[in-house]
Coordinates of all heavy atoms in Angstrom, one line a residue:
K139 N -43.7 148.5 213.7 CA -43.9 147.0 213.6 C -45.3 146.7 213.2 O -46.2 147.5 213.3 CB -43.6 146.3 214.9 CG -42.1 146.4 215.3 CD -41.8 145.6 216.5 CE -40.3 145.4 216.9 NZ -39.5 146.6 216.6
W225 N -58.0 140.1 203.1 CA -56.8 139.2 203.1 C -56.0 139.4 204.4 O -55.6 138.5 205.1 CB -56.0 139.4 201.9 CG -54.7 138.5 201.8 CD1 -54.6 137.2 201.4 CD2 -53.4 138.9 202.2 NE1 -53.3 136.8 201.5 CE2 -52.6 137.8 202.0 CE3 -52.8 140.1 202.7 CZ2 -51.2 137.8 202.3 CZ3 -51.5 140.1 203.0 CH2 -50.7 139.0 202.8
R367 N -62.9 174.1 170.4 CA -62.9 173.9 169.0 C -62.1 172.7 168.6 O -61.0 172.5 169.1 CB -62.4 175.2 168.2 CG -63.4 176.3 168.0 CD -62.7 177.4 167.3 NE -61.7 178.0 168.1 CZ -60.7 178.8 167.6 NH1 -60.7 179.0 166.3 NH2 -59.8 179.3 168.4
A438 N -27.3 151.1 148.4 CA -27.3 150.0 147.5 C -25.9 149.7 147.0 O -25.4 148.6 146.9 CB -28.2 150.2 146.3

Side-chain angles (χ1 to χ4, degrees):
K139 292 189 170 37
W225 177 84
R367 273 180 299 160

